[in-house]
Every structure is written in structure tokens, then in C-alpha cells.
Amino acid sequence: MRHLMSPMDFSVEELDTLMDLADDIQKDPAKYAHKCDGKILATCFYEPSTRTRLSFESAMLRLGGQVLGFATADSSSAAKGESVSDTIRIISSYADICAMRHPKEGAPMVAASKSWIPVINAGDGGHQHPTQTLTDLMTIRSLKGSLSDMTIGLCGDLKFGRTVHSLINALIRYRNVSFVFISPPELRIPDYIREDVLIRNGIKFKEVIKLDDVMPELDILYMTRVQRERFFNEEDYVRLKDFYILNKEKMTLAKKDMMVLHPLPRVNEISVEVDEDERAMYFKQVKYGMYIRMALILTLLELAD
Ligand code: NCD
């Protein structure tokens, strides 16, 4: 039995197969409409979510399966003090596969170690968010045609942003990918990513504070929200929350084919006027997220053929 805790759990070849399957599902959804008949997905969300939870649910429903679960910790027995280890043993009797989001780093991993069904990490604290990364990879591959030979700028909260951490881990495996990290000094990428992931693997990167200066070099700009819920005090959040605001004027500095991605939700970091720009891909990204989750569910349930 297989779980998904980090994007590294799949090899580059396996990721290709997964994305090919997602492509096929997108082309011919009817072929897959009953693949999960009689199967149940549990969504156990101890932290807020719109896209991730609903895209998992939509994915399972479109495969003919059914869903159950909870959307907040206080509506589950966690409020009574039940551990994730116990909860997953219970869920294992009710469902065939589980997507879990938790504010504590490593909680889905603990659940997976006690589970009798596949567990998918749907975001654990400031650590990883592998299915957002699958979404991002699928978006880039579909719209750019490849995951190699590009400069990707990651901008905003690079310290607490789990989507950023997972995406860096996944992208270093492709040829000639370099990074520009754009953040205020307080929100730089964590040391373990800089040392153990980037430097150790000889990846080209630089860290800057100003977005304007690097805009012309980027093939992709990945914007992120300042992660308010992970700050220790509100003052720091208020000081940093509007550090970057991507607007029309900044977009004039970018390449004609630069792509703007964002895992969403957006707060202020992308001005709504940018939505009209044909390089703004963040709403398209959402749809790819559903197809790749369909492919993932089929793969982990060993129904992909
Ligand atoms: C992201 C997350 O939960 O980490 N959202 C998502 O799943 N698309 C990004 C965020 O909350 O800022």
C-alpha cells in the first residue's frame, strides 16, 4: 500500500505517468466516470481549506466514488482529545482512501504509519503540500510543454509557505531549473531547504528582496500569500502582509510569455487587474488540480490500469 506524503515519494517517471493519466482524464472524462464505483474517500481536514478539500471531493465524485469527512478540527473527535493515530484507524474501517490536512508538521505521516488505507498529505503545517505541487507541475507542463530549462521566481512567504517547500523539492529533479527567491528578510526560505536541498544538489539560485529587478529574467512567477496563521504575533503579519503587490505596472517588466501562478487563496499580493492579463494562470491552475487528484486517487487505489 502506498501513501503520498511528499512529492519526492514519486520518481520523475512516476510523475510523468501520473500527469499523462491526468491528461487522459481531462480529454475523455467519460472513460473514468465509474472507475471508483463503490469506493469512498475520507477528507479529514483539521485546518481550513476550500480548493484542496473540494477538489479532492470533486475528483472522487467524478470517478463515481463517494466522500465523507470533516472540514474543521472542532467538528471531529480531535476536539475531545482523540489522536490522529486513533482517528485514522477508525477512518480505515469507513473509507478506502483518506486525504488529511493538519496544522502540525508530520501529522499525516503519523496517520499513514497506523493506517490500513492510503493516506494523502493534503498539507501539514508549514512543511509540505504535495498535491498542490502535483497541480503546479501539471500546470507548468501543460502550459509550457516541459518542466526543464526555466527560471522560476518564488515570491512572498517562503518561510511558512508549504507549497513553496514542496515545489522546490520537486523541481530540482528537472534539467536546468534555476530559482529566484523573492522575500522580505524575515520570510526567507528555511535553512534546511537552502542547505540540504539547494546547495547540496548544486542548484542555481539567488535570494533577493525587490521583485522589480528580477522580473525580466523569470519564466514563471509563483506568488504566495503571507501565512497569517503561522505567525507568532499579529504585528509582524501586519507589517509584512502587503510587502509585495503584483500589479499591471510590474507585469510590463516581465517576459511576454512569463506565467503567473499562485496556489490561492489570494489576499492582496496580486491585484485583481492582473486577472485580465493572459499570463495570469492561477485560475486555470485550479482545474489541473482536480484532474491530477483524480489521477492520484486512481493510482493509489491501484485502479489506474
Ligand atoms: C495553500 C495551502 O493551503 O498551503 N492553499 C492551497 O491548498 N491551495 C496556500 C495557502 O494557503 O496560502
Side-chain angles (χ1 to χ4, degrees):
M1 188 181 55
R2 217 168 162 184
H3 307 287
L4 177 70
M5 292 296 122
S6 139
M8 306 302 280
D9 294 349
F10 284 113
S11 68
V12 169
E13 292 71 30
E14 285 173 326
L15 285 178
D16 274 337
T17 307
L18 198 70
M19 288 188 267
D20 289 344
L21 177 58
D23 273 340
D24 200 55
I25 296 171
Q26 187 172 7
K27 277 189 210 113
D28 189 2
K31 196 166 119 193
Y32 297 90
H34 294 285
K35 286 268 187 191
C36 284
D37 280 356
K39 299 286 182 195
I40 297 176
L41 163 78
T43 51
C44 301
F45 277 59
Y46 296 86
E47 224 188 29
S49 167
T50 304
R51 265 150 302 275
T52 307
R53 187 171 58 83
L54 296 185
S55 71
F56 265 116
E57 297 191 356
S58 177
M60 191 48 152
L61 294 171
R62 283 167 190 263
L63 291 167
Q66 289 177 290
V67 295
L68 50 77
F70 52 86
T72 57
D74 55 13
S75 63
S76 79
S77 277
K80 300 181 188 167
E82 187 172 59
S83 67
V84 288
S85 310
D86 283 3
T87 303
I88 194 67
R89 286 182 170 114
I90 310 307
I91 301 286
S92 292
S93 301
Y94 301 153
D96 302 286
I97 184 164
C98 171
M100 180 181 284
R101 169 170 290 189
H102 204 286
K104 282 209 184 99
E105 286 81 3
M109 176 104 78
V110 172
S113 72
K114 304 287 182 208
S115 178
W116 296 300
I117 59 173
V119 177
I120 300 166
N121 177 4
D124 63 328
H127 186 218
Q128 298 263 3
H129 191 346
T131 62
Q132 181 62 47
T133 295
L134 298 180
T135 303
D136 302 338
L137 297 179
M138 172 89 186
T139 307
I140 298 170
R141 191 182 88 148
S142 303
L143 299 175
K144 286 248 180 231
S146 152
L147 287 157
S148 304
D149 304 310
M150 61 181 176
T151 300
I152 171 161
L154 294 119
C155 177
D157 187 347
L158 310 184
K159 178 179 180 187
F160 296 116
R162 55 191 173 199
T163 64
V164 166
H165 307 156
S166 285
L167 186 57
I168 295 170
N169 268 295
L171 280 175
I172 60 162
R173 297 189 291 181
Y174 296 90
R175 194 170 27 84
N176 194 25
V177 170
S178 60
F179 296 95
V180 181
F181 299 116
I182 308 135
S183 75
E186 295 91 334
L187 299 178
R188 288 171 68 192
I189 47 161
D191 290 344
Y192 78 91
I193 301 258
R194 187 179 306 100
E195 309 294 329
D196 301 346
V197 180
L198 297 161
I199 296 176
R200 180 169 301 170
N201 290 294
I203 307 298
K204 233 172 92 188
F205 72 97
K206 64 180 172 187
E207 299 185 77
V208 301
I209 297 174
K210 268 193 84 186
L211 175 59
D212 294 26
D213 301 348
V214 294
M215 223 35 197
E217 342 170 356
L218 306 178
D219 298 305
I220 291 168
L221 173 59
Y222 193 93
M223 294 296 295
T224 63
R225 166 181 77 89
V226 175
Q227 307 276 299
R228 180 183 201 160
E229 64 275 35
R230 315 227 186 273
F231 274 68
F232 294 110
N233 67 70
E234 183 71 7
E235 233 168 77
D236 285 347
Y237 169 71
V238 170
R239 187 167 50 81
L240 294 168
K241 72 183 171 69
D242 292 329
F243 205 93
Y244 300 104
I245 299 181
L246 182 65
N247 56 19
K248 252 183 169 165
E249 196 190 323
K250 286 195 177 12
M251 286 300 286
T252 62
L253 304 169
K255 288 184 186 170
K256 293 271 170 284
D257 63 347
M258 186 195 76
M259 251 171 54
V260 184
L261 300 182
H262 191 309
L264 303 178
R266 151 184 55 190
V267 187
N268 266 338
E269 58 282 353
I270 303 181
S271 155
V272 289
E273 65 190 22
V274 177
D275 299 357
E276 309 307 320
D277 193 302
E278 56 187 20
R279 294 166 291 182
M281 298 298 178
Y282 31 92
F283 291 119
K284 273 199 181 149
Q285 208 174 336
V286 173
K287 197 135 202 188
Y288 290 116
M290 186 185 66
Y291 292 119
I292 199 76
R293 287 184 175 97
M294 289 172 81
L296 178 67
I297 291 170
L298 286 175
T299 304
L300 295 182
L301 288 176
E302 298 178 7
L303 296 170
D305 296 332

